[in-house]
Structures are given as structure tokens and as C-alpha cells.
């Protein structure tokens, strides 16, 4: 145990040295690394200095920590704090994503047999327009103080995006009616439902940007509840089908010339990150604890090597083979 501990500590020290480096592949291609943020607390924002942008601001924290629906002013204040920490760098604010595993003490969600397939995230916002509009007004007000990109979770169709955009316009009109300033924002979708991934070419023309939520995309693709330990072996985050689907989405967004990021756990997975770049991704967003490790992993391979790694991964027949391919690539890099 002592030997393992010593090795782990050495590895941590070695990785820490990468934290403040700029993220480049071995042959000098810059990969934009973002930070996933779960609250506006100081400790979370400290890591902002090591990232090019905030790739996922999970706004649920504001709602889950409170004993009432956070007011427009309360939300605007918190969003402004995050935006100021990032200056002119983009902050991707994800609109409320509750339902499924995330509940609120003060809001009764309807009982459903399959909550992950039910009224969650954007669907719940559509059903509760006042709740949604309050958040959108707060975000638009905060946008005056930085570079805000607004992103909708659980998008399943173009219709969802168009409807969400209609709400943003309504929130803008409400602010104008009150004589309040609203900032400019980019509008984007999370790609975490397979139907959205398969419609990527059309979706890319409907949004300014998108981000792949691999945690949910894996859950819906493998039909394995991400919260249920009994089906954990079926929830395969290195399933070749997931890499193939990500590759399709990446090609669609590249053709449309629209930015695409991966903000699910896979984006911060140092073994998978080079394969994602090989599939065409140039933006990855992750928790602070993954930044150094991913920077190190990207610096170990050329873009050409990452492309052939991606080709090998997508040609695999099962997760076991993908694991072998990704681990061998890391061994070579060491
Ligand atoms: C995801 O689904 O990959 C994601 C980033 O969102 P969350 O984990 O909050 O559902
Ligand atoms: Mg999700």
C-alpha cells in the first residue's frame, strides 16, 4: 500500500506541473480546454485561470442548495460572479437541468415510472414557463458583464431548440418592457439524446454551438440507467457506438463551421481525450481535477496519431477492444 501511495503521489506531483501549461498536441495544435463548474463558490472559480473557457456551468446548484426558487436577482448575481471570473472568455451557462436524479425540496415533481425518460430538464422548463423565464431573464441581465453562451439540456429535436429560442426572445421582450439591459448571448444545445446526435447536421444550422453530454448520451445510447449500480456493466462509457456517434456529430459541426465541445465525463478522461481530438473535437470541458492530466495526455501525441487512434477506436467491436486500444496508446506515450 505504501508503494502504491508513493507512486500515486509522484504521479500527482508530475501532473500538477502541467496545470498552468497551454494545451497543445505534440505537433502544436491548440485544443481549447474548458472548466465544468458546479457553483459560483470561490474554490471552483480559482481554476478559471487554467482554462480557456467555462464549458459547463451547471445552474442546478442554485436551485438545489436553496429552500425556495432562486429569484431573478439572486440568479443574476451568481451568474455575474462567474462571468466576471472568466473576463472575455466564454461561459457556457446550462439552463436548469432537474428531474431524473435531481430533485428540489420545495418543488413537487410529478411521479413517473421512468423519470430519466420523463419530464426533466428542458421539458420541465417548457411545462413551467415562469420558472424558465425567470432564469432566462437573469442570464440575459448577467450577460452584460461577460461572454455568455446559453445552452439547453435534453434537446431531442429541432422543435425543442426552436421552442427554447422562443422563450429567450420572450424573456428579452420582458426585460425591454421593464427598461432593463439584456446582453448578447450565443444559443446552443446539449447533445445528450441520440435523436439529437443523429440530427446533428440540421441541429448545427439551428444553433450557434453545441456540447456533447456524454454522461446522458451514454445512458440513452446503451439503455442503462446511469444511477443504477445493478446495470453498471451495461453503462459502457468506452462503448465503440458512443465514439462512432461522437464522430458523426463532430463531422456535422465541422462542416457547418460551428463550435462543438464535449462536456461530459469522457471529455476529462485522459485516455479518451486524444481519441476525441482525433474524431475532430477541438474543445473539451472537464472538472478542475482533470485539467492537468488531460493537458499532459494531449501533449504526448501528434494530431495524426490521434486521428489514427480514433480510427482504431471506432473500428472496435466492443468496449473491451476499445480499452485495449486506448491503454496501448497511453503505454506508447509513456
Ligand atoms: C452529461 O449528461 O454528460 C452532462 C454533462 O450533464 P449532467 O452530467 O449534468 O447530466
Ligand atoms: Mg446531462
Amino acid at each position: 500500500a505504501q508503494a502504491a501511495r508513493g507512486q500515486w503521489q509522484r504521479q500527482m506531483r508530475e501532473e500538477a506541473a502541467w496545470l498552468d501549461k497551454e494545451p497543445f498536441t505534440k505537433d502544436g495544435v491548440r485544443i481549447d480546454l474548458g472548466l465544468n463548474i458546479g457553483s459560483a463558490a470561490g474554490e471552483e472559480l480559482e481554476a478559471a485561470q487554467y482554462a480557456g473557457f467555462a464549458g459547463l456551468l451547471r445552474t442546478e446548484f442554485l436551485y438545489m442548495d436553496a429552500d425556495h426558487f432562486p429569484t431573478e436577482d439572486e440568479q443574476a448575481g451568481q451568474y455575474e460572479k462567474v462571468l466576471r471570473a472568466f473576463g472575455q472568455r466564454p461561459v457556457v451557462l446550462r439552463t436548469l437541468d432537474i428531474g431524473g436524479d435531481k430533485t428540489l425540496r420545495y418543488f413537487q415533481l410529478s411521479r413517473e415510472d421512468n423519470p430519466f425518460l420523463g419530464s426533466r430538464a428542458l421539458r420541465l422548463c417548457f411545462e413551467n414557463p415562469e420558472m424558465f423565464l425567470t432564469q432566462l431573464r437573469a442570464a440575459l441581465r448577467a450577460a452584460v458583464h461577460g461572454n455568455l453562451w446559453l445552452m439547453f439540456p435534453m434537446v431531442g429535436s429541432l422543435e425543442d431548440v426552436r421552442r427554447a429560442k422562443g422563450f429567450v426572445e420572450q424573456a428579452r421582450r420582458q426585460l425591454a418592457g421593464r427598461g432593463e439591459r439584456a446582453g448578447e448571448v450565443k444559443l446552443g444545445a446539449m447533445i445528450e439524446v441520440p435523436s439529437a446526435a443523429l440530427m446533428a447536421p440540421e441541429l448545427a444550422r439551428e444553433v450557434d454551438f453545441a456540447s456533447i453530454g456524454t454522461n446522458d448520451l451514454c445512458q440513452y445510447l446503451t439503455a442503462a440507467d446511469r444511477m443504477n449500480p445493478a446495470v453498471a456493466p451495461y453503462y459502457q462509457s468506452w462503448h465503440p457506438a458512443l465514439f462512432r456517434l461522437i464522430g458523426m456529430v463532430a463531422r456535422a459541426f465541422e462542416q457547418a463551421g460551428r463550435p462543438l465541445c464535449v462536456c461530459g465525463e469522457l471529455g476529462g478522461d485522459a485516455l479518451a481525450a486524444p481519441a476525441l481530438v482525433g474524431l475532430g473535437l477541438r474543445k473539451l470541458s472537464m472538472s478542475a481535477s482533470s485539467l492537468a492530466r488531460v493537458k499532459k495526455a494531449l501533449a504526448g501525441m501528434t494530431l495524426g496519431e490521434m486521428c489514427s487512434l480514433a480510427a482504431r477506436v471506432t473500428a472496435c467491436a466492443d468496449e473491451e477492444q476499445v480499452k485495449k486500444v486506448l491503454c496501448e496508446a497511453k503505454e506508447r506515450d509513456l
Side-chain angles (χ1 to χ4, degrees):
Q2 269 174 359
R5 184 166 171 258
Q7 195 194 344
W8 182 79
Q9 283 171 335
R10 259 195 314 283
Q11 202 183 324
M12 287 296 125
R13 271 196 304 275
E14 222 181 274
E15 275 173 16
W18 286 86
L19 191 57
D20 59 1
K21 295 207 163 88
E22 289 295 312
F24 284 106
T25 63
K26 197 175 184 177
D27 52 337
V29 178
R30 196 190 152 81
I31 310 299
D32 205 6
L33 296 193
L35 183 66
N36 290 355
I37 301 176
S39 85
E43 315 88 76
E44 292 239 18
L45 297 179
E46 230 167 72
Q49 59 187 307
Y50 307 119
F53 64 111
L56 177 63
L57 170 59
R58 288 184 162 102
T59 58
E60 299 80 74
F61 76 92
L62 261 173
Y63 294 76
M64 293 171 83
D65 294 349
D67 56 7
H68 61 278
F69 270 116
T71 65
E72 186 184 315
D73 282 351
E74 284 167 346
Q75 293 190 53
Q78 295 290 306
Y79 302 155
E80 180 183 336
K81 196 171 160 203
V82 179
L83 281 162
R84 287 193 187 279
F86 279 85
Q88 277 316 302
R89 291 170 292 163
V91 171
V92 179
L93 183 153
R94 178 176 73 185
T95 59
L96 186 57
D97 186 7
I98 52 165
D101 58 319
K102 300 171 197 143
T103 56
L104 302 179
R105 272 174 283 156
Y106 49 88
F107 180 60
Q108 188 67 45
L109 296 169
S110 47
R111 275 190 58 80
E112 296 174 304
D113 285 342
N114 294 297
F116 273 110
L117 301 179
S119 185
R120 58 170 291 211
L122 192 57
R123 298 171 182 177
L124 201 70
C125 288
F126 288 155
E127 281 166 27
N128 296 275
E130 253 332 297
M131 178 183 83
F132 196 23
L133 286 165
T134 303
Q135 181 173 41
L136 294 174
R137 286 193 304 270
L140 290 172
R141 278 171 54 189
V144 172
H145 304 286
N147 186 356
L148 186 79
W149 296 22
L150 204 52
M151 178 164 77
F152 308 114
M154 244 335 240
V155 163
S157 65
L158 292 175
E159 174 54 23
D160 282 346
V161 176
R162 292 183 186 132
R163 217 171 145 191
K165 281 175 159 180
F167 274 90
V168 175
E169 279 320 302
Q170 192 180 344
R172 214 176 256 293
R173 280 197 302 276
Q174 289 176 338
L175 287 175
R178 279 173 15 194
E180 293 231 35
R181 270 182 78 201
E184 283 306 312
V185 295
K186 289 196 189 303
L187 296 177
M190 279 200 82
I191 297 188
E192 51 185 352
V193 178
S195 57
L198 290 164
M199 296 305 287
E202 289 79 5
L203 202 60
R205 288 195 288 272
E206 193 67 42
V207 293
D208 298 318
F209 72 98
S211 192
I212 306 180
T214 51
N215 308 338
D216 275 314
L217 188 57
C218 181
Q219 148 166 277
Y220 295 125
L221 194 62
T222 59
D225 182 345
R226 65 192 262 199
M227 306 297 292
N228 181 353
V231 293
Y234 299 101
Y235 182 96
Q236 299 180 352
S237 51
W238 284 355
H239 198 301
L242 185 59
F243 285 96
R244 288 183 190 182
L245 197 53
I246 292 171
M248 285 172 55
V249 176
R251 276 194 298 281
F253 274 75
E254 194 185 339
Q255 271 170 18
R258 297 273 152 86
L260 177 72
C261 182
V262 168
C263 66
E265 291 301 314
L266 200 65
D269 174 341
L271 286 178
L276 295 177
V277 172
L279 288 173
L281 267 301
R282 294 295 176 270
K283 286 161 99 61
L284 303 172
S285 192
M286 60 205 68
S287 56
S289 60
S290 297
L291 276 171
R293 203 172 315 143
V294 170
K295 285 181 182 182
K296 181 171 185 270
L298 295 177
M301 270 186 234
T302 65
L303 185 59
E305 286 166 342
M306 293 182 194
C307 290
S308 55
L309 177 64
R312 284 204 302 284
V313 164
T314 48
C316 286
D318 57 31
E319 193 190 41
E320 213 34 57
Q321 285 183 13
V322 173
K323 188 172 172 187
K324 202 159 161 269
V325 168
L326 293 181
C327 291
E328 277 171 9
K330 182 175 158 64
E331 292 306 316
R332 267 200 305 279
D333 168 32
L334 285 176

